Amino acid sequence: MNNRFPVSLHILTLLDDANGELLSSDYLAGSININPVLVRKEIMNLRKFGFVDSKEGKGGGSFLAKSAADINLGEVYNAVKSDYILGQNKNEPNPKCPIGKQINQHLISLYSEAENALIQNLSKQTLADFAIKFK
């Protein structure tokens, strides 16, 4: 599992808390305790999906592109996911083994079901629902 979702959710929550004030990638990175380059990468992705907008140049920064109530956490997860939540089996099992020759197809099915349940749960929540926990 990667850490893009928690980083993106942290960014979005900070931007919501800023109430439209522009926040720099350095400020965001300081809160998350990661390199500002990683923050800028996530901001570019969040901007691509319409969650964030930015003002370039001196005095620039990022802000929410829409209301926190209109940002669905399932959509955020889908925007940043890169792999199955439980990972992938990287080795090639023995094709002569009755289990080995079928394990990957059954794992993919199992992972898809688990991830769909996660997305369904996240889709019931908005950024506003999540951000209220910090007020």
Side-chain angles (χ1 to χ4, degrees):
M1 180 160 63
N2 69 47
N3 69 342
R4 290 186 66 199
F5 180 72
V7 167
S8 291
L9 191 53
H10 196 145
I11 291 168
L12 293 169
T13 304
L14 285 166
L15 294 177
D16 176 60
D17 190 57
N19 294 314
E21 180 183 334
L22 298 175
L23 297 182
S24 71
S25 56
D26 287 336
Y27 176 85
L28 296 166
S31 176
I32 303 168
N33 201 25
I34 62 172
N35 190 303
V37 172
L38 296 173
V39 169
R40 287 190 285 275
K41 178 182 173 187
E42 289 307 320
I43 287 172
M44 284 179 13
N45 187 60
L46 291 168
R47 188 176 353 169
K48 182 173 87 174
F49 286 92
F51 302 120
V52 169
D53 207 349
S54 300
K55 179 183 173 202
E56 303 294 324
K58 186 173 178 156
S62 297
F63 56 95
L64 288 182
K66 55 186 175 179
S67 163
D70 294 329
I71 297 176
N72 178 289
L73 298 188
E75 292 172 351
V76 174
Y77 177 83
N78 280 323
V80 301
K81 76 176 187 167
S82 61
D83 207 343
Y84 289 108
I85 189 170
L86 299 175
Q88 283 186 306
N89 189 358
K90 294 189 179 190
N91 80 354
E92 270 306 312
N94 183 344
K96 294 179 182 174
C97 171
I99 303 300
K101 69 182 178 184
Q102 299 179 59
I103 191 77
N104 284 336
Q105 72 189 46
H106 295 298
L107 284 173
I108 289 170
S109 176
L110 178 68
Y111 293 174
S112 292
E113 290 172 16
E115 188 168 53
N116 287 338
L118 171 67
I119 293 168
Q120 189 174 29
N121 182 283
L122 288 172
S123 294
K124 295 176 186 172
Q125 301 175 64
T126 66
L127 177 60
D129 297 329
F130 184 76
I132 197 80
K133 298 173 188 207
F134 301 93
K135 309 244 182 207

